[in-house]
Amino acid sequence: DAGVTQSPTHLIKTRGQHVTLRCSPISGHKSVSWYQQVLGQGPQFIFQYYEKEERGRGNFPDRFSARQFPNYSSELNVNALLLGDSALYLCASSLISGGTEAFFGQGTRLTVV
Amino acid sequence: GQQVMQIPQYQHVQEGEDFTTYCNSSTTLSNIQWYKQRPGGHPVFLIQLVKSGEVKKQKRLTFQFGEAKKNSSLHITATQTTDVGTYFCAGDNTGKLIFGQGTTLQVKP
């Protein structure tokens, strides 16, 4: 069985541009969460989706948005990119929305120049 | 909001020495999870603790959950070079994981 897959693996964008990151969860997993990990820090929660509905949102500006599709895959969108958005963006899938282990993808390394 | 603090930030040990990282939450946790992230990698789930005072072992790794469910620890006995990486605790808030800043372990052979 394939693990959590994210695309692209690396991305370089210019300030002010927008970006779309994609995530395919493990087959059968209905919950997808997004995290931002800045170098040297722990992952910071951005969004959680379960059964295509937003279940939680972290302390991120409205420039960040996400959605989950009927096949449970997910997209994270970031508008008006800032230099500070440079980070590793991690997607995690789990069977249910809480109380169970999260399986992380390899992440998308976003660099904003 | 809920905060999870982890100490120490870095730990350098000689191979064969023991290692411990401590995790403290500002609020009572329903459960706590531990993850390991190798350099250049992604977090990998190690274990979940749910009950007050729970202790779980995985080979050389021992995990504890405090009686008040606000703190936890990970102890590695006789470290090996394969143990290098950053160890994160994460409080589970209905699926929203609140991560500590991690403890990076370096092991000298």
Side-chain angles (χ1 to χ4, degrees):
Chain A
D1 230 356
V4 178
T5 57
Q6 290 186 244
S7 63
T9 54
H10 294 84
L11 201 54
I12 300 176
K13 288 287 190 178
T14 304
R15 276 179 299 175
Q17 286 188 315
H18 72 272
V19 68
T20 298
L21 310 181
R22 295 178 175 82
C23 171
S24 292
I26 292 173
S27 177
H29 285 196
K30 298 181 178 180
S31 176
V32 171
S33 297
W34 288 94
Y35 293 83
Q36 180 195 65
Q37 187 176 26
V38 174
L39 196 62
Q41 297 183 19
Q44 298 292 310
F45 172 79
I46 310 175
F47 284 109
Q48 187 200 24
Y49 277 79
Y50 179 70
E51 287 281 19
K52 292 152 282 183
E53 291 190 1
E54 183 182 304
R55 287 296 187 96
R57 184 186 181 111
N59 189 24
F60 281 81
D62 292 343
R63 299 184 295 108
F64 289 75
S65 63
R67 54 180 175 169
Q68 187 176 33
F69 298 99
N71 66 354
Y72 301 109
S73 68
S74 178
E75 283 183 355
L76 175 70
N77 294 283
V78 187
N79 292 324
L81 285 167
L82 304 173
L83 295 179
D85 294 331
S86 296
L88 179 67
Y89 287 84
L90 294 161
C91 171
S93 82
S94 55
L95 272 172
I96 55 177
S97 66
T100 186
E101 69 180 282
F103 295 82
F104 284 83
Q106 81 282 9
T108 294
R109 173 71 63 188
L110 172 66
T111 302
V112 182
V113 297
Chain B
Q2 181 183 11
Q3 289 188 325
V4 175
M5 304 299 292
Q6 209 173 332
I7 57 169
Q9 188 174 1
Y10 298 99
Q11 185 86 51
H12 296 251
V13 300
Q14 196 73 39
E15 188 173 21
E17 292 183 336
D18 292 357
F19 159 78
T20 304
T21 173
Y22 300 91
C23 181
N24 286 284
S25 170
S26 58
T27 60
T28 302
L29 300 168
S30 58
N31 67 75
I32 193 160
Q33 299 179 8
W34 285 89
Y35 291 81
K36 177 183 179 181
Q37 186 172 25
R38 294 181 184 274
H42 58 276
V44 175
F45 176 83
L46 293 176
I47 209 158
Q48 176 175 275
L49 303 171
V50 179
K51 300 176 184 176
S52 169
E54 189 169 16
V55 178
K56 286 189 176 180
K57 293 190 176 184
Q58 289 180 350
K59 297 183 180 178
R60 296 178 293 105
L61 277 62
T62 301
F63 303 84
Q64 291 188 319
F65 201 9
E67 294 290 340
K69 299 184 74 173
K70 294 181 72 174
N71 57 73
S72 181
S73 65
L74 158 60
H75 180 82
I76 301 178
T77 303
T79 54
Q80 300 175 358
T81 54
T82 53
D83 294 326
V84 298
T86 301
Y87 292 85
F88 293 100
C89 62
D92 184 348
N93 184 352
T94 59
K96 170 184 174 181
L97 293 176
I98 308 299
F99 282 83
Q101 60 268 54
T103 296
T104 298
L105 173 64
Q106 300 272 19
V107 180
K108 290 178 284 188

